[in-house]
Amino acid sequence: MDKTLKLRAGLLSCLLLLVLVGIWHAVTQAPAAGGGEALDPEYAMLMGLSAESERSSGFPTPGEFASSALGHLASPFYDNGPNDKGIGIQLAHSLWRVAAGFLLAMAVAIPWAS
């Protein structure tokens, strides 16, 4: 491949990424002040919010996503109890389950293959 073609392809990929992140940012912006609907009081109480809080789409902005991802990646192996583990520990458990299932399938299938 020609180097200029690779460069153009890389620039186009970066441009498409920026356009998609820009669309994501524009779509997830909060509505103008005073224009949003108030939450249902029971739902607000269930979610720990006040009833006067405005509705949100529930979809994070790119900045909220980045800060949350960095928070999870900053300490991937923490263990604060049964329902609060770092992403590294969760990934290790998932990989172990996949490997165990694969080994179990091999133990059943290989003896019957011949």
Side-chain angles (χ1 to χ4, degrees):
M1 264 184 125
D2 189 18
K3 284 189 177 190
T4 59
L5 183 61
K6 286 183 180 181
L7 179 64
R8 288 185 2 211
L11 288 174
L12 180 62
S13 296
C14 290
L15 179 67
L16 286 173
L17 177 65
L18 287 175
V19 167
L20 288 174
V21 170
I23 291 170
W24 176 13
H25 178 73
V27 169
T28 56
Q29 287 303 302
E37 283 182 49
L39 293 174
D40 177 43
E42 291 178 11
Y43 177 75
M45 190 170 34
L46 178 68
M47 298 305 290
L49 303 170
S50 68
E52 291 79 31
S53 298
E54 289 187 4
R55 262 182 220 262
S56 69
S57 67
F59 202 76
T61 64
E64 291 170 346
F65 169 77
S67 66
S68 176
L70 287 175
H72 287 296
L73 295 175
S75 179
F77 296 105
Y78 72 88
D79 186 358
N80 293 335
N83 291 328
D84 190 11
K85 299 193 183 306
I87 195 167
I89 292 175
Q90 293 180 30
L91 180 64
H93 283 273
S94 294
L95 290 174
W96 168 248
R97 286 183 191 111
V98 169
F102 184 74
L103 291 172
L104 183 61
M106 282 180 18
V108 170
I110 290 177
W112 298 99
S114 54

